[in-house]
Amino acid sequence: MQTMKIGNNEVVLLGTAMPPALPQGSHVMTATIELPPGDPGSPPHRHSGPMLD
């Protein structure tokens, strides 16, 4: 299991996969994010879909 620090948050990487349907160099990851008590988290935002050529 890999742990990363992003800002005040600790991110635990649960797993990754490289499915053949994605362009070379792409990957997929699943993670849990634990926010410390009282942390406001990220402001509302959106993630764009994959950018394919």
Side-chain angles (χ1 to χ4, degrees), residues 1 7 9-10 12 14 17 22 25 33 36-37 41-42 46-47 51 53:
M1 210 172 334
N9 304 313
E10 185 175 280
V12 178
L14 300 177
L22 295 177
I33 301 172
S42 298
R46 294 178 185 218
H47 294 263
M51 296 179 157
D53 291 332

Side-chain angles (χ1 to χ4, degrees), residues 8-39:
N8 292 330
N9 304 313
E10 185 175 280
V11 177
V12 178
L13 183 61
L14 300 177
T16 61
M18 291 188 210
L22 295 177
Q24 184 176 0
S26 298
H27 70 275
V28 176
M29 74 169 87
T30 303
T32 59
I33 301 172
E34 293 185 27
L35 301 176
D39 189 297

